[in-house]
Amino acid sequence: MTDEVREATAADRAGIQRLLRELHGEAADATTLPEIRQQARTFVAGDGDGDGDEIVGVLVATFVDYGHEPCGVVEELVVHPASRGSGTGAALLAQCKSWLEALGAEVVFVSAIDEEAAEFYLHAGFTRCTGPWLWAAAGQPA
Ligand SMILES: CC(C)(COP(=O)(O)OP(=O)(O)OC[C@H]1O[C@@H](n2cnc3c(N)ncnc32)[C@H](O)[C@@H]1OP(=O)(O)O)[C@@H](O)C(=O)NCCC(=O)NCCS
């Protein structure tokens, strides 16, 4: 028989830790689940010409921490084609990483949109993920 699936409450914390020890050993004891600290921030870069300061770059990032390996994700990063190659992308990424590090992120992930974007992140010091990463489109039966 399938057990009932429900949203966790604070009363479930000990049980959650017991289960997470199967994955993370004693490190699971630091978990704060089911309470999660999470934030999102959008950074923009202006063209800096003082004439209305048009936005030429945007980066969206998220942060999540439930007591085990707090992490950040670069969700979106794009610089206007006419403004590429002059440090805007690097500046946005640097601000984002400072914000995430101040929050306590231990790792920053990004899913690069294509191989050219991946080369930008490699140049910025990111490392390719290896191992059993998987994904599913929303709406697919679980
Ligand atoms: C990827 C992107 C954000 C880079 O922005 P940018 O402002 O042109 O990059 P910067 O000028 O800040 O470049 C910083 C450094 O990265 C290098 N770099 C930039 N793009 C690169 C690429 N595709 N491959 C390798 N290195 C790259 C630059 O030469 C520079 O090196 P340096 O610090 O040694 O001088 C921009 O090209 C873009 O918007 N591309 C289309 C959207 C995209 O791919 N977004 C990422 C989605 S995940």
Side-chain angles (χ1 to χ4, degrees):
M1 188 184 128
T2 307
D3 292 331
E4 178 201 1
V5 175
R6 58 175 172 78
E7 184 175 357
T9 71
D12 295 311
R13 186 161 296 145
I16 290 171
Q17 283 175 338
R18 193 174 61 245
L19 287 168
L20 288 184
R21 272 187 218 123
E22 298 288 326
L23 291 176
H24 307 304
E26 295 305 305
D29 293 348
T31 185
T32 57
L33 280 173
E35 284 164 21
I36 297 177
R37 191 166 61 103
Q38 54 188 339
Q39 292 191 36
R41 185 167 288 189
T42 302
F43 298 87
V44 292
D47 62 7
D49 70 358
D51 185 20
D53 200 23
E54 193 175 334
I55 299 307
V56 295
V58 60
L59 185 156
V60 180
T62 54
F63 169 79
V64 64
D65 177 17
Y66 56 92
H68 182 78
E69 295 178 351
C71 71
V73 178
V74 178
E75 306 281 358
E76 301 281 8
L77 169 61
V78 62
V79 172
H80 189 279
S83 299
R84 289 178 193 167
S86 55
T88 304
L92 285 163
L93 193 57
Q95 282 281 326
C96 164
K97 286 187 74 184
S98 295
W99 173 67
L100 289 170
E101 282 158 17
L103 287 171
E106 293 176 6
V107 62
V108 181
F109 292 104
V110 64
S111 171
I113 197 163
D114 56 25
E115 192 52 36
E116 200 177 330
E119 291 294 331
F120 166 78
Y121 288 106
L122 286 167
H123 187 80
F126 280 65
T127 303
R128 283 188 196 275
C129 289
T130 55
W133 288 84
L134 304 96
W135 66 276
Q140 279 183 348

